[in-house]
Each structure stands twice: as structure tokens, then as C-alpha cells.
Amino acid sequence: MGSGESRPGKVSLCGDTSSKASESPAEPKGKRPPVLVDGVTLNGPTLDIREAESFLREAMPIVMEEAVWKATDVKEKVCEWRSPEQLKDLLDLELREGGEAHPQILQRCRDAIRYSVKTGHPLFFNQLYAGMDPYSLVGRFITEAINPSLYTYEVAPVFLLTEEAVLKKMIEIIGWQDGGDGIFSPGGSVSNMYAVNVARYHHCPDVKVLGLSALPRLVMFTSQECHYSVSKAAAFLGIGTNNVYVIPSDKRYAGYSLPFMVNATAGTTVLGAFDPLEEIADICERHNLWMHVDACWGGGALMSKKHRYLLQGIHRANSVAWNPHKMLMAGLQCCAFMVRDKTNLLQRCHSAQASYLFQQDKFYDVSYDTGDKSIQCSRKPDAFKFWLMWKAIGTKGLEERVDRALAMARYLAEEIKKRDGFRLVMEPEYTNVCFWYIPPSLRDTADGPEFWRKVHAVAPVVKERMMKKGSMMVGYQPHGDKANFFRQIIISPQVSREDMDFLLDQIHSLGMDL
Amino acid sequence: MGSGESRPGKVSLCGDTSSKASESPAEPKGKRPPVLVDGVTLNGPTLDIREAESFLREAMPIVMEEAVWKATDVKEKVCEWRSPEQLKDLLDLELREGGEAHPQILQRCRDAIRYSVKTGHPLFFNQLYAGMDPYSLVGRFITEAINPSLYTYEVAPVFLLTEEAVLKKMIEIIGWQDGGDGIFSPGGSVSNMYAVNVARYHHCPDVKVLGLSALPRLVMFTSQECHYSVSKAAAFLGIGTNNVYVIPSDKRYAGYSLPFMVNATAGTTVLGAFDPLEEIADICERHNLWMHVDACWGGGALMSKKHRYLLQGIHRANSVAWNPHKMLMAGLQCCAFMVRDKTNLLQRCHSAQASYLFQQDKFYDVSYDTGDKSIQCSRKPDAFKFWLMWKAIGTKGLEERVDRALAMARYLAEEIKKRDGFRLVMEPEYTNVCFWYIPPSLRDTADGPEFWRKVHAVAPVVKERMMKKGSMMVGYQPHGDKANFFRQIIISPQVSREDMDFLLDQIHSLGMDL
């Protein structure tokens, strides 16, 4: 019998916690002589939990005040611009032998927040995500504190079940009436990689074991304007970027090869355009091609009875990528990859059956250990925050937000048409409002290469002035043969009509002298 | 001139914030008639910030009390086990049309925390991560609140610079005296995929464009006991799992093929064993093979002057994966992938040069826009929490933690040798202490198939009882031809010598009747 059995009090450790403080393992400190191993004293814990508590008590009001309330207050700056060189000096980045005291660390927290871009600010329009949802935020604080990893039910029961519940509902909303399967991934790019991998595995299951060198050259198709992750996926997965063809316009396709998938985009990154999914589904059915819809951005419209027509036909897709961290404000990252398949394709395609993790002799139903469907081992509980937010505001609340964001984009587009010096790039389909600002000095110049060359130079300067002022953030980019234009993205319900007016006023005031 | 110019007050919006509340864009609500677009009223924000604030004020004490303090209190349970079926009922997972009021959502927060496994608890020994560091935790709360994505300096200045600082220091600790490059990835598995991709690109840059079908069959080598992600990487990247050979024992290798890399493991998942890196480096140099070291788990030993000899030779590697979220307690996820290369290999191999994101006409040095080195687009700021923790406890503090964890593992191994009914699988090299528990009923049985068949059945039952009691969590697994054994992992400085005794006592008390 082990010597430890002389301490039977331990056995009852975790029953009723109210009356057993003296039985806890860390408690009897000092009852035994100190043990020294390799020069290290091992009695008792060395993390001082009181000190940790005092630090957290001091730090949390800073986090809440500076990183939550001020960061979402329209009266505060969106950013406090510093050049990389200046910021390096300000932050004192170097990691040294000795540690620092709490007051210094608290100051570092304040500085990190101060010089960060406030992506939850109502005037942050720079990316395809924005805003702050309090329920999602609390969900995130919970998961950061609990620090789970989603391989097995054993270590992440709540987070695996909430992931399953969210996927089930998203699949229902896509319209796959017989269900499907899915997994949350670290980003839409990775979701699109999943699509390429399951599509080729579906066509050639041998690829997993034999690799691409044993197969004919695989080729995939994508619509124009797809996200750059489709190229990244082709490169990373060994397909090669040359084997990605653009439909229907691409004439290059020829030679001995095996077409296996089409990537369609629902909500393109720059223009917010939607591919005609029904037509693409027809082509895919005719040619037996896997149809993947990258709805990372446009998927939000599925929540709206009014706007889901934009994705008409998505139920015919074989797989869908949809990021609720974008339009639905679930917080980065929250990215679902879903397949219509019900033959355990995700598992078959990605599993490696690690026996140390996915033991089959467990005492519960191991079909809940879904981690082997993933290409990751450690995986964050990205669905939980979305689940909590969804519970709090309901499907109806999500729908109202989407409807409002689209109405706001419509308002902005109409304002742009009314105002001198602003020109729409195209009528918005979604909440990307793309437009040029033409300074007064150019308004009498005729359209032509010279005009556009000058317009091209306007947005970068306006952007620089905007950043240095910290008044708002909106993106710009060239696109195909089009000169630099602004891309305004609307998401957050904290954004008001007045903010749209402000945006246009501000661009004019920053660029009127150009 | 745009009509908005009639509101010149806006221009000064973000200067001094103290005296300009009335100039804020959202403020003049009601001054203009309501605007209705598509049936949606657009004046003013619709997110009620007061309501959000009141929710957060109520929720945060629950998060701190339940998910931080109780979750790390040795006197509390590690887990509150419920079967999947029971837990589904308890959590009411369904997502409905309507939302729920704050008291209900707060109860959902409490329930989610209650039924989650407390991975920061001192008696959670189940995975290769554990513990709670208060500085890292505050860093995580900050980044969740700020919600950045690490593509460009423009939107994540602080987080890109702290990532750079952390990578620089980790590279220095690896011993690459001329520097190197790196990127944080969403998990060690993805880091290992990066390694495969850069290694093959280094050998055949054409692979990015032409794909694997244009190349000879690529083959890679790995040492025994590598993590299962090496197989996953071979499958995902189109290499094929059959083209992964085990050195030096594998006799399969033959035929026309192109060897390009060796994966070595520093700290294996189950046994915590270290491959002889110097010897592997010799082989790689001789055959011009890319040498990757998966030091996701074992990398922690590099912080210790006493124990870094375990990774002797790591400076000769071409790439290293090292996860500070494991031994160094930075919190999931925190995973660095680093290359010794200084020719911008990561960028060349992974870039897709999206012109909407990586504009070259920005007003700052765009070499700080490091996002295109990644296979991800959105990317979380995983280095910041580690940076903050490192600042707080210093290199020395990290070293002390590692030294203590290894001393603790040594103590446990010696205890196991002393106690009847416990048997070490091997002398620990790191903090994985692997052992069998032999119940009294089997102690007189001679070693042999029958004995081991019975021993094999012990760990699952002890684990089940442990989980249902909630007293602690330790993993078990079979390994090669070895019967199920426990794998005890030691990481957190909150763990005491008394906890080691408790662990053995507890296993005995749970399994003595078997």
C-alpha cells in the first residue's frame, strides 16, 4: 500500500467544499520537512495567489475603463497614431532578465491600450469586422479565464456542446434540411483550406495517404474577386496557384487534369459582391464538382429574411465558410466551416487518431471528442461567445442588426450620390460602400488617365491625415484597373446615421486642399 | 462642396476630448428629422451602451470569482462531471428567435463556468498546458477587449511590435546568433505545417505555383514518437502520409523521390523524450535536408540554464516550433514558428499580396505589415500576453518556473519508486512522469500478457472515478505495445510537493479495489 494512504483525509477532498479547507493538498504546508530537489524547495506553491489577486484587482478597472468603455466611446479617438520607430521607444519592448513591479506593468497595460487601434469604436470602418457586443465580450472573458482546448469532451464539455449547437443552427439557416457537419477554424482562410482539402479527398480519397504526386494534376475553379486565401490554399495544399482557374472567363484551362472544385464567393472583400450561386450550382452538378461557398463575409445576410436572397442557392453547396466574427460581431475569431456531407467526411479526411488523446476506452460516448475533425490539436472555443450573444439577443436581434447595417449602407450610398465631390464605384449589394472622393481642384478635370492618376493619389493622403488625427478609420485600395477608392464597411449597431454624415464631412475636410 | 461642410464643428472631433461632447457625431440626435431606410430608422445608435455597461458590471464579478479565483483554488473541484446527455439538458443549448434577459444570461455564464473543466486548477495535470498566470490573463482580457487582427501595422501597431519583440528574444534563446524570422500561428500543428511548407518551398520554389504534380515525389523524415500533426501536415499539404518515413529505423524508403526535410521532436507528447538534435543536424547537413525541430512542448527547457542541454544542437535547425502556452503558461494559444532564414522566406513562401490589404502606397514603412507571412488573414495577437507576462516576471522568473517544474517531476518519480503498487514507465527526461498503478489484487501476479491485460483496464476506471469525483485530472494512454499508463504533467508554480503526494494517494484510493 502506498505511503500516501496514511493521509485518508485527502480522499474526501472534493465533496462538500464548505468544511474541508484543512484537508486540501496544498494546505498542510510545514507539517512535513521541506523537500529540496535540484536546489529547488518544493513545499507549497510558489505562485503567490494573493499577489495575483491584487494585480488583477488593479488591472481590471483599467481594462474595462480604457479598453472597453473609452475604446467604444464615439467622443474618443479611434487611434493614437505613432510611427513604428516612435512606438518602439514608447513601449520599451525589450524583455529582460528581471521582472517589473505591478505599477510598471499596469502602466504597460495602459500604454498598450492607448496606442492600439480601437476596433470596437463606432468610427472604425477599416476592416470586415467592427463593433463591440457586451455578451460576446463576456463570453470571451470566460473562455480566456477557463483556458480550454477543444479536443475532447473530457476537457471541454461545455465548449464542445455549444460549438455543436451553434453549428447545428447555422447549418439549419444555410438550408441543409438533412443536416451536415462542421468545425470552427482559426480564420476564413483556414476554412477555405478545409474546403479544398475535403473536396479533393472526396474526389480522390487516396490523396491523404499517397499524396498529390500519385494523382493526375488537380485543378480548381474560382469566380472572379475571390479572397486571396484561395490562392494561399492552393499553394499551401500543394495544388499550385497555376492550377486555380477563374470561371467563366478564364481561357487557360486545358491539358490532362482533374477538376475537383469550384469556389464561389458570397460577399467579396472589396466590393461586397455576391456570385450567382444557383448558376454555379448548376455548373457544379453538371460536371460533378465540389461547390464551396466562401460566405465568410456575406453569410451574415442569411440571418435576414429581407436580404438572404443574396445567397439564393447556398443550400446547394457542398461546403460553406461563414465567419460570425464579421457581420455578426461575435469577436475575432469565430469562423465556421461546414459541410453538407453526413458520412463523417471531416473526420475521415483529417483524422490522425492519436491514441494518447482520442482513447477509445473512455467511459463516455467518444463521438463527442470531435477534435480529430480538425487540422489543429489545441483549438480555441470560438463558438461559445457567439452562442452566448445569440442567446442574449436571439435570432431576431441578429436579424435586426443585419437589416440596419444594410439600410445604413443604402443611406450612405444615397448621400454620396447627392454630394459634390463624391462618386460611387458601384451600387452596394451589401454593406461595402465603395466611393471616390474628388477634391475641388479636380472636379472640373475630364475623366481620363491624368484625372484618375491624380484621384489615385488622394485616398492615401486622406488616410494618412485621418490616422494622424485619429478621428476615424476607413480603408482604401485600388481594384483591378480602378484608382484607389475608399471602402466603407458598416456593421455595428452603435453606428448612427450621423456617423455616416460625419464620415463624408471628414473626408472632405481632410482632402479638400488636394 | 459637400453638404456636410455645414457642420464644421466635426473637424475638431478628436483633438482635446474634454470639451467637445456636443461636437460628437452621435450626439446631435434629434436635430435632424429621423431617416427611414428600408423600414429601419437610422438616427442614433441602437446598441444601448448603458445596458451593455450594466450587463458587464454584473457579469465581471462572476467571471472573476467563478472562472478565475474558484477555478484556481485547490480546495475546489477540478471538474463537475456531467455526461453529454445530462449537460445538454442543463445548458439549454437551443438558439431561439427571441433573446433572453440579463438574469438568465448571467445564469448561463455561471453554468458554463461551473460545468467547465478548470484547466488552471493546481490539480489539472491532464494536458501539456496548465496553470493560471495573472499577467498573461490580463494581457488576454486586453486583447479580447481591443479585438485586433494582426495583418497590418495600421490596425494592430502594439500587437505587431510586441510579436516582433517576443520572436526576436525567442530566436536569441534558440541560439540563432544572426537572427531569423517568425510568425505566431494558431497551434503547434499549424506551426509544423508551416515547417513542411517552407522546407519544400526552399527545395523547390516552383511548388507554390506549379503544385506537387509538377515535381518528383517529395518525401520527409521524422523521428519516432513525433506528434500526430506531422501526419496531418503531410496529408493536408498534399505530401501524403505514406511519404513520411521514420528515421533511422524505417526500411521502407526507396524509389524515385526527393527527400526534403527531417522533423525532430524536442519533448514528445507522451513520454517527454528529446531527440538527439546534434546527430540529426549532422544527418541533415550531410544530405542537404531541412531540419525542423518540433519543440512545442520541450522548448520551455531552453529558458533554463540547467536543463537546456536537452535541446543541445537546436541552433543548427532551420526551423523551430515552440509553444509558450505549454510549459511557459502563456495561455492558449501562443505558438511561435521560427526560421533561421533571413531571405524573407516566410513572406516569399506564403504571400499572396492582396492589394486591398497590403497597399504599397501607405505613409509608413510597410515592412511592418507582416500579415502576408502567414497563411491566415485574420490573426489573433497571441504574443502580447506572453510579452506582458515576460515583462512582469522576467527571463529569470520563467527560468525558475521551469526549474521548479522539472524538480517537481523528479520528486514525483522518486516517490513512485518508493511506493508499492506504482511503477515508472521510464525515468522522466522532462516533466512527463509516466507510470502504472498496480492494484493490490495484481501485485502478486507475474509480468506477462494476462497481467498487462488487467493493468491496461485499470487506468480507464481510475480516470472515470476521478472525473466523476472531480478531485483531479491526469491523463492516461496506451503507447506502442505498452498497456495504459498515467501521464502526469507538471507545469504550474501553483503546484506543490503535497499535490504530488495527493495525486498518488488519490489514484490508490480510487483504484485499490480493482
Side-chain angles (χ1 to χ4, degrees):
Chain A
M1 201 163 96
S3 61
E5 281 310 294
S6 58
R7 301 171 66 217
K10 286 302 187 47
V11 178
S12 62
L13 171 74
C14 292
D16 172 17
T17 59
S18 56
S19 61
K20 61 177 180 46
S22 63
E23 295 170 14
S24 73
E27 210 65 19
K29 209 191 296 190
K31 287 186 186 171
R32 290 173 156 205
V35 170
L36 198 77
V37 175
D38 280 349
V40 182
T41 310
L42 297 182
N43 290 51
T46 54
L47 184 84
D48 184 340
I49 208 77
R50 301 249 173 284
E51 204 182 311
E53 198 166 337
S54 106
F55 176 70
L56 272 156
R57 280 198 204 294
E58 289 185 273
M60 286 315 290
I62 297 173
V63 175
M64 298 309 291
E65 191 53 40
E66 306 290 326
V68 181
W69 304 121
K70 273 179 146 181
T72 54
D73 184 347
V74 75
K75 297 192 290 297
E76 299 285 335
K77 286 189 178 188
V78 176
C79 64
E80 181 73 50
W81 168 262
R82 294 293 183 279
S83 72
E85 298 70 27
Q86 290 170 318
L87 193 51
K88 280 181 184 181
D89 283 346
L90 286 166
L91 295 177
D92 177 24
L93 293 158
E94 203 186 326
L95 298 160
R96 302 192 181 83
E97 187 65 18
E100 293 179 350
H102 285 181
Q104 272 175 289
I105 297 300
L106 294 170
Q107 188 54 43
R108 298 205 177 284
C109 293
R110 279 188 210 97
D111 289 343
I113 297 166
R114 178 171 184 202
Y115 297 112
S116 285
V117 170
K118 312 303 186 295
T119 68
H121 192 285
L123 299 173
F124 177 83
F125 305 115
N126 209 73
Q127 312 293 148
L128 300 185
Y129 73 94
M132 183 280 290
D133 176 273
Y135 311 105
S136 162
L137 188 60
V138 166
R140 302 166 78 173
F141 286 158
I142 289 173
T143 51
E144 290 302 308
I146 294 285
N147 198 32
S149 182
L150 264 64
Y151 357 74
T152 61
Y153 183 81
E154 175 182 325
V155 293
V158 170
F159 304 113
L160 281 173
L161 291 185
T162 43
E163 177 177 67
E164 183 186 77
V166 168
L167 286 168
K168 188 176 158 220
K169 191 74 184 174
M170 290 176 82
I171 283 170
E172 182 190 312
I173 288 168
I174 286 171
W176 290 336
Q177 295 187 342
D178 300 327
D181 196 5
I183 194 92
F184 275 74
S185 89
S189 298
V190 175
S191 292
N192 288 339
M193 289 183 180
Y194 271 116
V196 174
N197 202 39
V198 297
R200 74 179 174 189
Y201 180 83
H202 171 74
H203 276 266
C204 317
D206 281 349
V207 70
K208 184 176 179 180
V209 172
L210 300 180
L212 289 169
S213 64
L215 301 177
R217 181 167 59 96
L218 296 183
V219 300
M220 50 191 277
F221 299 91
T222 184
S223 56
Q224 298 268 14
E225 308 281 319
C226 72
H227 188 256
Y228 71 89
S229 59
V230 175
S231 286
K232 288 211 179 199
F236 199 64
L237 275 72
I239 305 276
T241 54
N242 261 9
N243 295 314
V244 181
Y245 296 91
V246 176
I247 50 164
S249 62
D250 203 309
K251 300 285 182 280
R252 288 177 303 147
Y253 174 58
Y256 178 57
S257 62
L258 183 62
F260 72 104
M261 81 175 276
V262 173
N263 173 71
T265 311
T268 61
T269 312
V270 176
L271 301 175
F274 289 75
D275 284 337
L277 302 183
E278 294 281 16
E279 288 171 47
I280 293 171
D282 289 343
I283 296 170
C284 288
E285 280 172 18
R286 202 174 313 132
H287 298 284
N288 187 31
L289 294 167
W290 183 277
M291 177 175 169
H292 172 64
V293 180
D294 175 351
C296 288
W297 169 227
L302 290 169
M303 302 307 298
S304 160
K305 287 184 275 295
K306 199 183 289 176
H307 299 289
R308 66 170 289 146
Y309 76 91
L310 290 165
L311 298 103
Q312 181 61 40
I314 195 168
H315 63 287
R316 296 171 66 188
N318 297 98
S319 60
V320 172
W322 174 6
N323 294 2
H325 76 228
K326 297 188 195 285
M327 181 56 84
L328 302 182
M329 283 176 51
L332 273 147
Q333 286 186 343
C334 189
C335 309
F337 173 69
M338 292 160 288
V339 291
R340 201 172 66 198
D341 169 272
K342 283 169 297 296
T343 67
N344 219 8
L345 177 65
L346 276 180
Q347 173 81 21
R348 288 183 288 121
C349 181
H350 296 118
S351 70
Q353 286 142 4
S355 59
Y356 78 91
L357 193 55
F358 303 109
Q359 303 93 326
Q360 299 299 302
D361 52 4
K362 286 180 181 172
F363 64 98
Y364 59 87
D365 176 358
V366 293
S367 72
Y368 286 95
D369 291 354
T370 52
D372 214 15
K373 290 180 187 177
S374 170
I375 58 166
Q376 299 181 277
C377 178
S378 299
R379 196 162 63 88
K380 283 184 75 85
D382 292 332
F384 176 72
K385 57 196 172 190
F386 185 38
W387 178 82
L388 193 66
M389 177 175 88
W390 201 329
K391 276 286 192 190
I393 71 170
T395 308
K396 192 165 165 48
L398 293 171
E399 177 172 25
E400 282 168 0
R401 286 186 182 174
V402 173
D403 284 347
R404 188 169 190 277
L406 274 121
M408 194 69 81
R410 174 51 45 204
Y411 170 80
L412 179 63
E414 296 306 322
E415 273 302 297
I416 285 170
K417 289 186 213 169
K418 281 185 213 159
R419 292 198 187 196
D420 286 343
F422 288 87
R423 204 187 288 192
L424 273 183
V425 175
M426 61 175 257
E427 285 291 335
E429 285 186 58
Y430 200 39
T431 73
N432 310 42
V433 183
C434 296
F435 63 91
W436 288 282
Y437 170 68
I438 319 287
S441 70
L442 293 175
R443 289 184 197 164
D444 295 328
T445 312
D447 271 23
E450 182 61 12
F451 173 79
W452 287 112
R453 198 184 53 74
K454 285 180 177 166
V455 169
H456 187 68
V458 169
V461 177
V462 172
K463 179 68 178 269
E464 175 176 359
R465 291 174 177 180
M466 185 191 294
M467 293 287 294
K468 288 184 172 168
K469 191 171 177 184
S471 55
M472 63 181 192
M473 278 179 72
V474 56
Y476 77 86
Q477 64 284 301
H479 191 67
D481 56 0
K482 290 192 171 64
N484 278 327
F485 54 85
F486 291 105
R487 179 196 65 172
Q488 165 73 352
I489 298 291
I490 299 148
I491 293 175
S492 168
Q494 235 194 308
V495 174
S496 70
R497 198 270 324 258
E498 290 81 354
D499 297 328
M500 298 296 100
D501 299 339
F502 173 75
L503 164 88
L504 299 179
D505 295 350
Q506 182 78 169
I507 287 176
H508 176 66
S509 98
L510 293 170
M512 61 191 291
D513 64 325
L514 295 174
Chain B
M1 202 163 96
S3 61
E5 282 310 294
S6 59
R7 300 172 65 215
K10 285 303 187 47
V11 176
S12 62
L13 171 74
C14 291
D16 172 18
T17 58
S18 57
S19 61
K20 61 178 183 42
S22 64
E23 294 170 14
S24 74
E27 210 65 19
K29 208 189 295 188
K31 287 189 187 169
R32 291 174 156 204
V35 171
L36 198 78
V37 175
D38 280 348
V40 182
T41 310
L42 297 182
N43 290 50
T46 53
L47 184 83
D48 184 339
I49 208 76
R50 301 247 175 283
E51 204 181 310
E53 198 166 337
S54 107
F55 176 70
L56 272 155
R57 280 197 204 293
E58 288 185 273
M60 287 315 289
I62 297 172
V63 175
M64 298 309 291
E65 191 53 40
E66 307 290 327
V68 181
W69 303 121
K70 273 179 146 181
T72 55
D73 184 346
V74 76
K75 298 193 290 296
E76 299 285 335
K77 286 189 179 188
V78 176
C79 64
E80 181 73 50
W81 168 262
R82 293 293 184 280
S83 71
E85 298 69 27
Q86 290 171 319
L87 193 51
K88 280 181 183 180
D89 283 346
L90 285 166
L91 295 178
D92 178 23
L93 293 158
E94 202 185 328
L95 298 161
R96 302 192 181 84
E97 188 65 18
E100 292 179 350
H102 285 180
Q104 271 174 292
I105 297 299
L106 294 170
Q107 188 54 42
R108 299 206 177 281
C109 293
R110 279 187 210 98
D111 289 344
I113 297 167
R114 178 171 183 200
Y115 297 112
S116 286
V117 170
K118 311 303 185 296
T119 69
H121 192 285
L123 299 173
F124 177 83
F125 305 114
N126 209 74
Q127 313 293 149
L128 300 185
Y129 74 94
M132 183 279 289
D133 177 273
Y135 311 106
S136 162
L137 187 60
V138 166
R140 302 166 78 173
F141 286 158
I142 289 173
T143 51
E144 291 302 309
I146 294 284
N147 198 32
S149 182
L150 265 63
Y151 358 74
T152 60
Y153 183 83
E154 175 182 322
V155 293
V158 170
F159 304 113
L160 281 173
L161 292 185
T162 43
E163 176 176 66
E164 183 186 77
V166 168
L167 286 168
K168 189 177 157 220
K169 191 74 184 172
M170 290 175 82
I171 283 170
E172 182 188 314
I173 289 168
I174 286 171
W176 289 337
Q177 295 186 343
D178 300 328
D181 195 6
I183 193 94
F184 275 75
S185 88
S189 297
V190 175
S191 292
N192 289 338
M193 288 183 180
Y194 271 117
V196 173
N197 202 39
V198 296
R200 73 178 175 189
Y201 180 83
H202 171 74
H203 277 266
C204 319
D206 282 349
V207 69
K208 184 175 178 181
V209 171
L210 299 180
L212 288 169
S213 65
L215 301 177
R217 182 166 59 95
L218 296 183
V219 301
M220 49 191 277
F221 300 91
T222 184
S223 56
Q224 297 269 15
E225 308 281 320
C226 72
H227 188 255
Y228 71 89
S229 59
V230 175
S231 286
K232 288 211 178 197
F236 199 64
L237 275 71
I239 305 274
T241 54
N242 262 9
N243 294 315
V244 181
Y245 296 91
V246 177
I247 51 164
S249 62
D250 202 308
K251 300 283 183 279
R252 287 178 303 148
Y253 173 57
Y256 177 59
S257 62
L258 183 63
F260 72 104
M261 81 175 275
V262 174
N263 173 71
T265 311
T268 60
T269 311
V270 176
L271 302 175
F274 288 75
D275 284 337
L277 302 184
E278 294 281 15
E279 287 171 48
I280 293 170
D282 289 342
I283 295 171
C284 288
E285 281 173 17
R286 203 175 311 131
H287 299 283
N288 187 31
L289 294 167
W290 183 276
M291 176 174 170
H292 172 64
V293 180
D294 174 352
C296 288
W297 170 226
L302 290 169
M303 303 306 298
S304 160
K305 286 185 274 296
K306 199 183 288 174
H307 298 290
R308 67 169 287 146
Y309 76 91
L310 290 165
L311 297 103
Q312 182 61 39
I314 194 168
H315 63 286
R316 296 171 66 188
N318 298 97
S319 59
V320 171
W322 174 7
N323 293 2
H325 76 227
K326 298 189 195 284
M327 181 55 85
L328 301 181
M329 283 174 54
L332 274 146
Q333 286 187 347
C334 189
C335 309
F337 173 69
M338 292 160 288
V339 291
R340 201 173 65 197
D341 169 272
K342 284 170 297 295
T343 68
N344 219 7
L345 177 66
L346 277 180
Q347 173 80 23
R348 287 183 289 122
C349 181
H350 296 119
S351 69
Q353 286 141 5
S355 59
Y356 78 90
L357 193 54
F358 303 108
Q359 303 94 327
Q360 298 299 301
D361 53 4
K362 287 180 181 171
F363 65 99
Y364 60 87
D365 175 0
V366 294
S367 72
Y368 286 95
D369 291 355
T370 52
D372 214 16
K373 290 180 186 178
S374 170
I375 58 166
Q376 300 181 275
C377 178
S378 298
R379 197 162 64 88
K380 283 184 76 86
D382 292 333
F384 176 72
K385 57 196 171 188
F386 185 38
W387 179 83
L388 193 66
M389 176 174 89
W390 201 329
K391 276 286 191 189
I393 71 170
T395 309
K396 194 167 164 48
L398 293 171
E399 178 172 25
E400 283 168 1
R401 286 186 182 174
V402 173
D403 283 347
R404 188 170 191 276
L406 274 121
M408 195 69 81
R410 173 52 45 204
Y411 170 81
L412 179 64
E414 296 306 322
E415 273 302 298
I416 285 170
K417 289 186 211 168
K418 282 185 212 159
R419 292 197 187 198
D420 286 344
F422 288 88
R423 203 187 287 193
L424 273 183
V425 175
M426 62 175 255
E427 286 291 335
E429 286 186 58
Y430 200 40
T431 73
N432 310 44
V433 182
C434 296
F435 62 92
W436 288 282
Y437 170 68
I438 319 288
S441 70
L442 294 175
R443 291 186 196 164
D444 295 328
T445 312
D447 271 22
E450 182 63 10
F451 172 79
W452 286 112
R453 197 184 54 74
K454 286 180 177 164
V455 169
H456 187 68
V458 169
V461 177
V462 171
K463 178 69 178 270
E464 175 176 359
R465 292 173 177 180
M466 185 190 296
M467 294 287 295
K468 288 184 172 168
K469 192 170 177 186
S471 55
M472 64 181 191
M473 278 180 72
V474 56
Y476 77 86
Q477 64 284 301
H479 190 68
D481 57 0
K482 289 191 172 64
N484 278 327
F485 55 84
F486 291 104
R487 179 196 65 171
Q488 164 74 352
I489 299 291
I490 300 148
I491 293 175
S492 169
Q494 235 193 309
V495 174
S496 70
R497 198 270 324 260
E498 291 82 353
D499 297 327
M500 298 297 99
D501 300 338
F502 173 76
L503 164 88
L504 299 178
D505 296 351
Q506 181 79 168
I507 287 176
H508 176 65
S509 97
L510 293 170
M512 61 191 291
D513 64 324
L514 296 173

